[in-house]
Amino acid sequence: MSNSIYGRLRAATNDDLPMMRNWRNIPSVRDKMYTCHEISEEEHQRWWARIKSADNQRYFIYEYQNVPMGVVSFNNIDEGNENASWAFYASPDAERGTGSRMEFLALDYAFFELKLHKLSCEVLDFNTTVIRLHKKFGFVEEGILRQQYQRDGTFYDIHRLGVLASEWIDKRNDMLASIPISRGE
């Protein structure tokens, strides 16, 4: 994708795997994921082999001012029903505003490149910052899977959110003005 003042998404490559695994294994990142154990190199390589051979998944590196700052994924891409789910995580060094920039680019990609009708996501209930961020970008809470996920003997709710292409188009211009960009731009 082209570079903008908000950064860019570029296809993840084999060369990105060490960086992706390093970020993914940072405790503050993995604590918010379903798979929260430390991921070994072998496990990461097996995962990547599955991803590369899957037609319904796409992984991107988010770059801001030519510096890798995060990972954006689109999963379960269903061309027939024009929907998919997505997820993202930022580098531990990412500055404030990175999540908003990644979300903006992800929504544009979903609706203008993939031509989706709907984009969905799931967020664990304790990740309130990301739930608020998604709602700010127009996602609507479609349901709560009550006590659906268990970790260390505690059950957590999963928030299911979705946004339609028409909702993003209505919200997009308002979001442009609210996305932080670095003073270096």
Side-chain angles (χ1 to χ4, degrees):
M1 291 178 61
S2 63
N3 218 349
S4 79
I5 61 171
Y6 306 111
R8 74 178 186 131
L9 299 178
R10 67 162 175 79
T13 68
N14 292 342
D15 293 339
D16 296 314
L17 287 181
M19 176 181 65
M20 292 169 70
R21 181 173 162 255
N22 178 52
W23 292 346
R24 181 63 177 77
N25 277 334
I26 299 292
S28 62
V29 172
R30 64 183 157 95
D31 285 350
K32 308 248 182 349
M33 305 284 192
Y34 291 133
T35 304
C36 61
H37 66 272
E38 191 161 331
I39 297 168
S40 70
E41 169 112 19
E42 180 182 320
E43 181 182 1
H44 197 56
Q45 291 293 334
R46 283 193 314 267
W47 165 81
W48 185 244
R50 281 192 315 272
I51 293 301
K52 284 190 347 182
S53 66
D55 292 336
N56 68 342
Q57 304 209 41
R58 298 198 186 158
Y59 276 75
F60 296 92
I61 299 300
Y62 168 70
E63 292 182 340
Y64 187 63
Q65 298 178 344
N66 298 313
V67 176
M69 292 279 180
V71 175
V72 172
S73 68
F74 295 91
N75 312 94
N76 305 313
I77 300 168
D78 180 344
E79 292 178 5
N81 289 305
E82 300 176 8
N83 64 55
S85 57
W86 86 291
F88 74 105
Y89 58 92
S91 150
D93 303 330
E95 64 184 40
R96 185 170 170 78
T98 297
S100 291
R101 291 189 298 268
M102 289 190 335
E103 187 140 347
F104 183 87
L105 293 175
L107 287 166
D108 269 2
Y109 183 81
F111 296 121
F112 301 132
E113 301 291 326
L114 290 177
K115 307 281 191 224
L116 297 179
H117 173 71
K118 180 181 178 181
L119 187 64
S120 301
C121 61
E122 292 183 349
V123 184
L124 292 166
D125 66 356
F126 54 80
N127 197 353
T128 56
T129 301
V130 170
I131 292 170
R132 277 194 311 271
L133 179 67
H134 291 330
K135 288 180 177 180
K136 175 181 156 185
F137 275 83
F139 279 81
V140 173
E141 188 138 6
E142 296 183 330
I144 296 175
L145 303 173
R146 297 176 309 130
Q147 298 187 13
Q148 181 79 11
Y149 173 78
Q150 182 182 189
R151 182 185 296 168
D152 299 327
T154 302
F155 286 93
Y156 297 96
D157 295 345
I158 297 172
H159 290 247
R160 179 99 172 139
L161 300 112
V163 62
L164 304 176
S166 59
E167 293 167 336
W168 174 238
I169 289 166
D170 286 347
K171 185 90 173 164
R172 187 178 185 277
N173 285 338
D174 292 338
M175 294 313 300
L176 279 171
S178 72
I179 297 173
I181 56 174
S182 174
R183 296 190 210 297
E185 283 292 318

mmCIF file of all heavy atoms in Angstrom, residues 40-62:
data_model
loop_
_atom_site.group_PDB
_atom_site.id
_atom_site.type_symbol
_atom_site.label_atom_id
_atom_site.label_comp_id
_atom_site.label_asym_id
_atom_site.label_seq_id
_atom_site.Cartn_x
_atom_site.Cartn_y
_atom_site.Cartn_z
ATOM 1 N N SER A 40 7.686 -20.101 20.854
ATOM 2 C CA SER A 40 9.030 -20.547 20.475
ATOM 3 C C SER A 40 9.270 -20.267 18.990
ATOM 4 O O SER A 40 8.330 -20.061 18.218
ATOM 5 C CB SER A 40 9.187 -22.048 20.737
ATOM 6 O OG SER A 40 8.386 -22.778 19.812
ATOM 7 N N GLU A 41 10.521 -20.306 18.611
ATOM 8 C CA GLU A 41 10.878 -20.118 17.199
ATOM 9 C C GLU A 41 10.209 -21.190 16.333
ATOM 10 O O GLU A 41 9.664 -20.888 15.279
ATOM 11 C CB GLU A 41 12.401 -20.185 17.036
ATOM 12 C CG GLU A 41 12.831 -20.275 15.603
ATOM 13 C CD GLU A 41 13.536 -19.032 15.130
ATOM 14 O OE1 GLU A 41 14.007 -18.257 15.961
ATOM 15 O OE2 GLU A 41 13.579 -18.851 13.913
ATOM 16 N N GLU A 42 10.244 -22.421 16.786
ATOM 17 C CA GLU A 42 9.648 -23.525 16.019
ATOM 18 C C GLU A 42 8.136 -23.322 15.854
ATOM 19 O O GLU A 42 7.591 -23.496 14.763
ATOM 20 C CB GLU A 42 9.935 -24.852 16.730
ATOM 21 C CG GLU A 42 9.376 -26.055 16.021
ATOM 22 C CD GLU A 42 9.636 -27.340 16.788
ATOM 23 O OE1 GLU A 42 10.741 -27.505 17.346
ATOM 24 O OE2 GLU A 42 8.704 -28.170 16.832
ATOM 25 N N GLU A 43 7.457 -22.964 16.926
ATOM 26 C CA GLU A 43 6.009 -22.715 16.863
ATOM 27 C C GLU A 43 5.714 -21.565 15.907
ATOM 28 O O GLU A 43 4.769 -21.624 15.120
ATOM 29 C CB GLU A 43 5.480 -22.400 18.262
ATOM 30 C CG GLU A 43 3.990 -22.148 18.311
ATOM 31 C CD GLU A 43 3.495 -21.797 19.705
ATOM 32 O OE1 GLU A 43 4.315 -21.730 20.666
ATOM 33 O OE2 GLU A 43 2.274 -21.586 19.837
ATOM 34 N N HIS A 44 6.529 -20.533 15.950
ATOM 35 C CA HIS A 44 6.347 -19.366 15.087
ATOM 36 C C HIS A 44 6.530 -19.758 13.616
ATOM 37 O O HIS A 44 5.746 -19.330 12.759
ATOM 38 C CB HIS A 44 7.349 -18.276 15.500
ATOM 39 C CG HIS A 44 7.023 -16.913 14.998
ATOM 40 N ND1 HIS A 44 5.828 -16.274 15.245
ATOM 41 C CD2 HIS A 44 7.757 -16.049 14.256
ATOM 42 C CE1 HIS A 44 5.836 -15.081 14.683
ATOM 43 N NE2 HIS A 44 7.004 -14.919 14.060
ATOM 44 N N GLN A 45 7.525 -20.566 13.329
ATOM 45 C CA GLN A 45 7.767 -21.019 11.958
ATOM 46 C C GLN A 45 6.603 -21.875 11.448
ATOM 47 O O GLN A 45 6.185 -21.731 10.285
ATOM 48 C CB GLN A 45 9.084 -21.803 11.871
ATOM 49 C CG GLN A 45 10.328 -20.963 12.081
ATOM 50 C CD GLN A 45 10.562 -19.950 10.977
ATOM 51 O OE1 GLN A 45 10.139 -20.108 9.845
ATOM 52 N NE2 GLN A 45 11.240 -18.856 11.324
ATOM 53 N N ARG A 46 6.077 -22.753 12.284
ATOM 54 C CA ARG A 46 4.911 -23.579 11.881
ATOM 55 C C ARG A 46 3.708 -22.689 11.596
ATOM 56 O O ARG A 46 2.983 -22.894 10.622
ATOM 57 C CB ARG A 46 4.571 -24.599 12.974
ATOM 58 C CG ARG A 46 5.479 -25.797 13.020
ATOM 59 C CD ARG A 46 4.911 -26.921 13.889
ATOM 60 N NE ARG A 46 4.397 -26.492 15.168
ATOM 61 C CZ ARG A 46 5.091 -26.463 16.305
ATOM 62 N NH1 ARG A 46 6.348 -26.858 16.327
ATOM 63 N NH2 ARG A 46 4.525 -26.064 17.430
ATOM 64 N N TRP A 47 3.480 -21.703 12.456
ATOM 65 C CA TRP A 47 2.372 -20.758 12.259
ATOM 66 C C TRP A 47 2.542 -20.033 10.925
ATOM 67 O O TRP A 47 1.602 -19.932 10.144
ATOM 68 C CB TRP A 47 2.341 -19.764 13.430
ATOM 69 C CG TRP A 47 1.500 -18.567 13.177
ATOM 70 C CD1 TRP A 47 0.139 -18.487 13.305
ATOM 71 C CD2 TRP A 47 1.948 -17.277 12.740
ATOM 72 N NE1 TRP A 47 -0.279 -17.212 12.961
ATOM 73 C CE2 TRP A 47 0.811 -16.458 12.618
ATOM 74 C CE3 TRP A 47 3.191 -16.734 12.442
ATOM 75 C CZ2 TRP A 47 0.887 -15.131 12.213
ATOM 76 C CZ3 TRP A 47 3.267 -15.420 12.043
ATOM 77 C CH2 TRP A 47 2.114 -14.633 11.933
ATOM 78 N N TRP A 48 3.743 -19.528 10.651
ATOM 79 C CA TRP A 48 3.983 -18.772 9.426
ATOM 80 C C TRP A 48 3.770 -19.643 8.185
ATOM 81 O O TRP A 48 3.218 -19.188 7.182
ATOM 82 C CB TRP A 48 5.371 -18.162 9.452
ATOM 83 C CG TRP A 48 5.669 -17.273 8.286
ATOM 84 C CD1 TRP A 48 6.612 -17.461 7.321
ATOM 85 C CD2 TRP A 48 5.015 -16.039 7.946
ATOM 86 N NE1 TRP A 48 6.591 -16.427 6.413
ATOM 87 C CE2 TRP A 48 5.616 -15.545 6.784
ATOM 88 C CE3 TRP A 48 3.979 -15.308 8.530
ATOM 89 C CZ2 TRP A 48 5.233 -14.355 6.168
ATOM 90 C CZ3 TRP A 48 3.590 -14.121 7.926
ATOM 91 C CH2 TRP A 48 4.206 -13.660 6.762
ATOM 92 N N ALA A 49 4.192 -20.894 8.253
ATOM 93 C CA ALA A 49 3.994 -21.812 7.123
ATOM 94 C C ALA A 49 2.495 -21.972 6.834
ATOM 95 O O ALA A 49 2.076 -21.988 5.663
ATOM 96 C CB ALA A 49 4.643 -23.173 7.398
ATOM 97 N N ARG A 50 1.678 -22.082 7.889
ATOM 98 C CA ARG A 50 0.214 -22.182 7.705
ATOM 99 C C ARG A 50 -0.348 -20.897 7.108
ATOM 100 O O ARG A 50 -1.182 -20.932 6.204
ATOM 101 C CB ARG A 50 -0.483 -22.459 9.041
ATOM 102 C CG ARG A 50 -0.423 -23.881 9.498
ATOM 103 C CD ARG A 50 -1.366 -24.164 10.670
ATOM 104 N NE ARG A 50 -1.348 -23.180 11.730
ATOM 105 C CZ ARG A 50 -0.528 -23.185 12.773
ATOM 106 N NH1 ARG A 50 0.381 -24.134 12.907
ATOM 107 N NH2 ARG A 50 -0.602 -22.251 13.697
ATOM 108 N N ILE A 51 0.107 -19.751 7.607
ATOM 109 C CA ILE A 51 -0.389 -18.454 7.137
ATOM 110 C C ILE A 51 -0.059 -18.251 5.667
ATOM 111 O O ILE A 51 -0.896 -17.829 4.877
ATOM 112 C CB ILE A 51 0.218 -17.300 7.987
ATOM 113 C CG1 ILE A 51 -0.284 -17.355 9.419
ATOM 114 C CG2 ILE A 51 -0.058 -15.931 7.366
ATOM 115 C CD1 ILE A 51 -1.768 -17.270 9.586
ATOM 116 N N LYS A 52 1.180 -18.553 5.289
ATOM 117 C CA LYS A 52 1.612 -18.332 3.913
ATOM 118 C C LYS A 52 0.829 -19.183 2.917
ATOM 119 O O LYS A 52 0.649 -18.779 1.773
ATOM 120 C CB LYS A 52 3.109 -18.626 3.762
ATOM 121 C CG LYS A 52 3.972 -17.531 4.331
ATOM 122 C CD LYS A 52 5.442 -17.614 4.033
ATOM 123 C CE LYS A 52 5.978 -18.872 3.485
ATOM 124 N NZ LYS A 52 7.426 -18.850 3.273
ATOM 125 N N SER A 53 0.352 -20.344 3.348
ATOM 126 C CA SER A 53 -0.373 -21.220 2.421
ATOM 127 C C SER A 53 -1.885 -20.988 2.464
ATOM 128 O O SER A 53 -2.621 -21.595 1.694
ATOM 129 C CB SER A 53 -0.058 -22.684 2.723
ATOM 130 O OG SER A 53 -0.559 -23.044 3.999
ATOM 131 N N ALA A 54 -2.349 -20.114 3.322
ATOM 132 C CA ALA A 54 -3.794 -19.853 3.467
ATOM 133 C C ALA A 54 -4.218 -18.708 2.549
ATOM 134 O O ALA A 54 -3.602 -17.641 2.562
ATOM 135 C CB ALA A 54 -4.126 -19.523 4.913
ATOM 136 N N ASP A 55 -5.260 -18.927 1.779
ATOM 137 C CA ASP A 55 -5.784 -17.883 0.894
ATOM 138 C C ASP A 55 -6.645 -16.863 1.641
ATOM 139 O O ASP A 55 -6.913 -15.794 1.119
ATOM 140 C CB ASP A 55 -6.637 -18.503 -0.217
ATOM 141 C CG ASP A 55 -5.804 -19.311 -1.187
ATOM 142 O OD1 ASP A 55 -4.582 -19.058 -1.306
ATOM 143 O OD2 ASP A 55 -6.381 -20.204 -1.837
ATOM 144 N N ASN A 56 -7.084 -17.223 2.831
ATOM 145 C CA ASN A 56 -8.044 -16.365 3.541
ATOM 146 C C ASN A 56 -7.411 -15.559 4.675
ATOM 147 O O ASN A 56 -8.110 -15.082 5.563
ATOM 148 C CB ASN A 56 -9.200 -17.214 4.068
ATOM 149 C CG ASN A 56 -8.780 -18.161 5.174
ATOM 150 O OD1 ASN A 56 -7.595 -18.444 5.358
ATOM 151 N ND2 ASN A 56 -9.751 -18.672 5.905
ATOM 152 N N GLN A 57 -6.090 -15.387 4.641
ATOM 153 C CA GLN A 57 -5.409 -14.616 5.678
ATOM 154 C C GLN A 57 -4.358 -13.725 5.040
ATOM 155 O O GLN A 57 -3.694 -14.129 4.092
ATOM 156 C CB GLN A 57 -4.736 -15.558 6.679
ATOM 157 C CG GLN A 57 -5.732 -16.526 7.268
ATOM 158 C CD GLN A 57 -5.369 -16.952 8.656
ATOM 159 O OE1 GLN A 57 -4.935 -16.131 9.467
ATOM 160 N NE2 GLN A 57 -5.557 -18.210 8.947
ATOM 161 N N ARG A 58 -4.206 -12.537 5.588
ATOM 162 C CA ARG A 58 -3.173 -11.600 5.129
ATOM 163 C C ARG A 58 -2.569 -10.912 6.340
ATOM 164 O O ARG A 58 -3.287 -10.447 7.217
ATOM 165 C CB ARG A 58 -3.766 -10.559 4.185
ATOM 166 C CG ARG A 58 -4.327 -11.209 2.937
ATOM 167 C CD ARG A 58 -4.525 -10.233 1.840
ATOM 168 N NE ARG A 58 -5.202 -10.948 0.749
ATOM 169 C CZ ARG A 58 -5.898 -10.373 -0.183
ATOM 170 N NH1 ARG A 58 -6.026 -9.065 -0.194
ATOM 171 N NH2 ARG A 58 -6.470 -11.075 -1.129
ATOM 172 N N TYR A 59 -1.252 -10.853 6.334
ATOM 173 C CA TYR A 59 -0.512 -10.213 7.423
ATOM 174 C C TYR A 59 0.322 -9.073 6.871
ATOM 175 O O TYR A 59 0.960 -9.212 5.833
ATOM 176 C CB TYR A 59 0.382 -11.229 8.153
ATOM 177 C CG TYR A 59 -0.386 -11.980 9.207
ATOM 178 C CD1 TYR A 59 -1.278 -12.985 8.848
ATOM 179 C CD2 TYR A 59 -0.261 -11.656 10.548
ATOM 180 C CE1 TYR A 59 -2.017 -13.660 9.809
ATOM 181 C CE2 TYR A 59 -0.996 -12.320 11.515
ATOM 182 C CZ TYR A 59 -1.868 -13.319 11.143
ATOM 183 O OH TYR A 59 -2.610 -13.961 12.090
ATOM 184 N N PHE A 60 0.299 -7.970 7.604
ATOM 185 C CA PHE A 60 1.006 -6.767 7.196
ATOM 186 C C PHE A 60 1.867 -6.247 8.338
ATOM 187 O O PHE A 60 1.532 -6.413 9.509
ATOM 188 C CB PHE A 60 0.021 -5.658 6.810
ATOM 189 C CG PHE A 60 -0.817 -5.985 5.618
ATOM 190 C CD1 PHE A 60 -2.054 -6.592 5.768
ATOM 191 C CD2 PHE A 60 -0.361 -5.703 4.336
ATOM 192 C CE1 PHE A 60 -2.823 -6.911 4.665
ATOM 193 C CE2 PHE A 60 -1.128 -6.017 3.232
ATOM 194 C CZ PHE A 60 -2.367 -6.629 3.386
ATOM 195 N N ILE A 61 2.948 -5.575 7.949
ATOM 196 C CA ILE A 61 3.742 -4.804 8.898
ATOM 197 C C ILE A 61 3.306 -3.357 8.729
ATOM 198 O O ILE A 61 3.243 -2.844 7.608
ATOM 199 C CB ILE A 61 5.255 -4.941 8.610
ATOM 200 C CG1 ILE A 61 5.699 -6.403 8.745
ATOM 201 C CG2 ILE A 61 6.063 -4.031 9.544
ATOM 202 C CD1 ILE A 61 5.483 -7.017 10.106
ATOM 203 N N TYR A 62 2.961 -2.731 9.841
ATOM 204 C CA TYR A 62 2.634 -1.309 9.822
ATOM 205 C C TYR A 62 3.935 -0.541 9.993
ATOM 206 O O TYR A 62 4.700 -0.792 10.929
ATOM 207 C CB TYR A 62 1.659 -0.952 10.944
ATOM 208 C CG TYR A 62 1.525 0.532 11.131
ATOM 209 C CD1 TYR A 62 0.889 1.312 10.177
ATOM 210 C CD2 TYR A 62 2.079 1.161 12.238
ATOM 211 C CE1 TYR A 62 0.796 2.694 10.330
ATOM 212 C CE2 TYR A 62 1.975 2.532 12.403
ATOM 213 C CZ TYR A 62 1.345 3.290 11.442
ATOM 214 O OH TYR A 62 1.250 4.649 11.593
#
